[in-house]
């Protein structure tokens, strides 16, 4: 069976945990979009892993890991991650493959990201400053892009970098009055990256198709979430890749028709990092309660996450766009003790009620949530292992969301650990 796990909100839904659990029955785990802007947390016992580029399957020593062509690879982060795993006695040698066609994030991308955000001032997007927008921008622009395969011919890369750095310096100087960057320094780093990452380069499209042909189980791991999708999210407050399930095929060369199940991950509430509309946001005590109890601080940047009620209009939209078959709802434990709970079941925009997520961000800015109110719970759920043992109000909450979204919720989370996920029979 081939499964694909994606976020249905604005990221950080708990994808890392779900992927780690499902990886137990997978031969290969594949990342297909985003870059080191992602932060996927896996907690096993007392040990916590925060992965940015390495697929969450890496923690299981027998699982093969692939970084697909759709990923923006920051070699500095990736080599650091390989070293970090090695320190924990986890080796990826011989079981890790990076697409030759994946684009490379270099220092000037991160610099450009930062300069652009600073120049925007209050209008900034609130990016992670991981160079994601500038790297994908170069990919689309083609003429000044570096791909992983370029590490194979260092003489050619040296010449290419001269041209790129010359171009970037003109922009940095003209637009931002910034210090020039040095092509030789960047090239020196690239020779190290080539040395470290060269052995992992592969034609990953071929590898995946041959593996599928041999009956292997593949797990596709999305980064970010559908509402951050470049085309289908809340543009311009999005990331620069297709973070919905729709990005999976283009991001690794495997058609969606070969995926048996698309699993959408949500939290039992909603969070968002960075700027942009968030209709169900609770910038008040409720939001603070969720932030404290759910430890809602970014895995990548440490920023406090904006928190709010579960937005079923948004999640239903993401599920529909992504062809989601089942939902995993994390963090039910976090809602304990909050009193009555609210679920946004429709928006009112300019006096008209709608249950379809608007495609124009200006419309979304005006959306007021229409809530369904339901009983909360005070019980600690963290040790419960059977769905039937959950308090009735928890099961009713899950049923309410299921009813609005019209997709079955097959997994629920009651804590951060690998063991704290309940599969519904
Ligand atoms: P991802 O980006 O989707 O992989 O999610 P992150 O790792 O950025 O953020 C999710 C956070 O929630 C992490 O700290 C997880 O350890 C934690 N987490 C995941 N599932 C649960 C859950 O069911 N309950 C609680 N309390 N924490 C969870
Ligand atoms: P995971 O995979 C949450 C957000 C940033 C910002 C916007 C654009 O852990 O769910 P970018 O650096 O991509 O140009 O920033 O997207 N963002 C995320 N928010 N989780 C993520 O990844 C995110 N990756 C990017 O906060 O609002
Ligand atoms: Mg995250």
């Amino acid at each position: 069976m081939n499964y694909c796990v994606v976020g249905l909100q604005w990221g950080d839904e708990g994808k890392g945990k779900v992927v780690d659990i499902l990886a137990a029955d997978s031969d290969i785990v594949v990342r297909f979009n985003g870059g080191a802007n992602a932060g996927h947390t896996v907690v096993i016992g007392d040990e916590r892993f925060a992965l940015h580029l390495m697929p969450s399957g890496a923690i299981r020593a027998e699982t093969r890991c692939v970084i697909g062509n759709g990923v923006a690879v920051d070699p500095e982060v990736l080599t650091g991650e390989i070293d970090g795993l090695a320190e924990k006695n986890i080796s990826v040698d011989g079981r890790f493959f990076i697409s030759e066609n994946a684009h490379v994030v270099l220092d000037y991308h991160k610099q450009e990201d930062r300069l652009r955000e600073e120049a925007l001032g209050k209008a900034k997007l609130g990016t992670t400053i991981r160079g994601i927008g500038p790297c994908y921008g170069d990919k689309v622009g083609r003429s000044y892009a570096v791909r992983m395969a370029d590490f194979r011919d260092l003489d050619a890369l040296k010449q290419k970098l001269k041209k790129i750095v010359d171009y970037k310096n003109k922009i940095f100087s003209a637009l931002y009055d910034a210090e020039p960057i040095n092509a030789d320094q960047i090239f020196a780093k690239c020779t190290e990256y080539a040395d470290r990452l060269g052995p992992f380069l592969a034609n990953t499209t071929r590898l995946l198709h041959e593996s599928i042909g041999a009956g292997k189980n593949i797990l596709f791991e999305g980064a970010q979430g559908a509402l951050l999708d470049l085309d289908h999210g809340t543009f311009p407050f999005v990331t620069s890749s297709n973070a919905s399930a729709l990005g999976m095929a283009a991001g690794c060369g495997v058609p969606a028709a070969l995926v048996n199940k698309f699993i959408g991950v949500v939290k039992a509430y909603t969070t968002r990092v960075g700027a942009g509309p968030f209709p169900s946001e609770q910038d008040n005590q409720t939001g603070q309660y969720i932030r404290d109890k759910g430890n809602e601080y970014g895995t990548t940047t440490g920023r406090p996450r904006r928190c709010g009620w579960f937005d079923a209009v948004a999640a239903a939209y993401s599920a529909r766009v992504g062809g989601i078959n089942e939902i995993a709802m994390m963090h039910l434990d976090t809602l304990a003790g909050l009193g009555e709970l609210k679920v946004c079941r429709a928006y009112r925009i300019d006096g008209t009620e709608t249950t379809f997520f608007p495609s124009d961000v200006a419309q979304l800015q005006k959306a007021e949530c229409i809530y369904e109110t339901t009983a909360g719970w005070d019980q600690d759920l963290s040790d419960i292992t059977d769905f039937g043992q959950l308090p009735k109000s928890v099961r009713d909450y899950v049923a309410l969301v299921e009813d609005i979204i019209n997709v079955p919720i097959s997994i629920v989370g009651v804590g951060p650990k690998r063991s704290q996920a309940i599969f519904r029979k």
Side-chain angles (χ1 to χ4, degrees):
M1 295 288 265
N2 302 322
Y3 294 156
C4 176
V5 172
V6 290
L8 297 188
Q9 295 165 316
W10 280 286
D12 302 326
E13 297 89 350
K15 298 176 292 291
K17 173 178 142 177
V18 173
V19 167
D20 167 62
I21 293 168
L22 296 177
D25 297 318
S26 310
D27 299 296
I28 307 178
V29 180
V30 189
R31 265 283 300 270
F32 58 81
N33 77 299
N37 49 348
H40 295 179
T41 317
V42 177
V43 183
I44 304 160
D46 294 329
E47 194 141 39
R48 183 176 174 278
F49 298 83
L51 299 170
H52 302 286
L53 275 164
M54 192 54 91
S56 298
I59 295 154
R60 297 184 183 267
E62 64 286 2
T63 308
R64 297 176 109 193
C65 293
V66 169
I67 286 185
N69 57 277
V71 176
V73 179
D74 181 334
E76 199 159 302
V77 174
L78 185 56
T79 48
E81 224 153 66
I82 293 170
D83 293 343
L85 287 169
E87 277 166 26
K88 294 182 175 177
N89 291 319
I90 301 172
S91 167
V92 295
D93 289 344
R95 64 180 181 102
F96 176 44
F97 308 89
I98 309 170
S99 168
E100 301 154 335
N101 294 344
H103 283 249
V104 181
V105 177
L106 292 167
D107 284 347
Y108 52 79
H109 291 124
K110 290 178 255 191
Q111 185 167 343
E112 195 171 344
D113 201 352
R114 184 175 52 76
L115 291 168
R116 203 187 288 176
E117 283 282 270
E118 281 171 6
L120 282 168
K122 277 193 179 145
K124 70 177 181 182
L125 301 178
T127 75
T128 59
I129 321 284
R130 294 300 186 270
I132 301 301
C135 176
Y136 281 117
D138 284 347
K139 173 178 176 174
V140 175
R142 296 156 297 165
S143 313
Y144 299 99
V146 176
R147 303 207 290 181
M148 289 304 297
D150 288 322
F151 286 150
R152 287 205 178 112
D153 184 346
L154 288 174
D155 288 338
L157 180 60
K158 191 170 190 177
Q159 296 313 314
K160 192 177 204 175
L161 279 172
K162 273 197 186 129
K163 188 179 80 168
I164 295 174
V165 167
D166 187 41
Y167 169 76
K168 296 281 177 190
N169 276 337
K170 283 184 187 145
I171 293 175
F172 289 172
S173 158
L175 296 184
Y176 309 111
D177 201 18
E179 291 289 304
I181 47 171
N182 182 304
D184 292 335
Q185 277 174 8
I186 294 172
F187 178 69
K189 282 191 179 182
C190 285
T191 59
E192 272 176 51
Y193 302 148
D195 199 37
R196 290 290 312 275
L197 299 177
F200 300 115
L201 293 192
N203 177 345
T204 52
T205 304
R206 176 178 175 172
L207 182 150
L208 291 173
H209 280 276
E210 285 176 354
S211 302
I212 291 169
K216 302 288 183 201
N217 296 324
I218 322 278
L219 179 58
F220 301 92
E221 174 181 10
Q224 291 85 47
L227 304 176
L228 288 171
D229 185 289
L230 178 61
D231 288 278
H232 303 283
T234 53
F235 191 92
F237 304 103
V238 291
T239 189
S240 301
S241 67
N242 286 116
S244 69
L246 297 172
M248 176 248 139
C252 67
V254 175
L258 292 176
V259 176
N260 303 85
K261 209 190 278 181
F262 281 92
I263 300 169
V265 188
V266 295
K267 275 176 188 161
Y269 44 90
T270 310
T271 64
R272 170 163 212 172
V273 206
F278 178 177
S280 67
E281 181 170 18
Q282 299 299 302
D283 190 11
N284 54 29
Q285 276 188 332
T286 301
Q288 191 58 44
Y289 182 94
I290 294 172
R291 190 174 304 115
D292 290 343
K293 190 137 192 280
N295 191 24
E296 292 296 353
Y297 294 89
T299 310
T300 298
T301 58
R303 289 179 290 177
R305 294 176 182 147
R306 299 158 64 191
C307 299
W309 297 120
F310 188 83
D311 186 340
V313 178
Y317 163 76
S318 300
R320 206 175 288 181
V321 166
I324 298 301
N325 306 106
E326 288 181 18
I327 286 179
M329 179 182 263
M330 298 299 108
H331 276 270
L332 273 170
D333 54 305
T334 301
L335 291 179
L338 203 50
E340 274 191 335
L341 304 175
K342 290 184 181 181
V343 171
C344 173
R345 63 161 180 82
Y347 295 154
R348 190 174 291 112
I349 302 173
D350 291 332
T352 305
E353 201 175 309
T354 176
T355 54
F356 206 95
F357 194 73
S359 69
D360 177 5
V361 86
Q363 292 287 303
L364 189 64
Q365 301 271 23
K366 292 194 274 184
E368 290 166 53
C369 287
I370 300 173
Y371 290 108
E372 198 78 43
T373 301
T374 179
W377 55 88
D378 290 327
Q379 294 95 322
D380 174 12
L381 310 180
S382 55
D383 289 329
I384 299 179
T385 54
D386 186 288
F387 192 82
Q389 301 297 312
L390 289 166
K392 181 170 181 305
S393 47
V394 179
R395 286 180 281 128
D396 286 349
Y397 184 80
V398 172
L400 172 66
V401 171
E402 240 175 1
D403 196 45
I404 304 174
I405 299 184
N406 208 16
V407 180
I409 296 176
S410 56
I411 308 170
V412 297
V414 291
K417 293 184 183 168
R418 192 183 252 179
S419 55
Q420 289 171 312
I422 304 175
F423 283 72
R424 243 168 128 182
K425 288 160 199 116

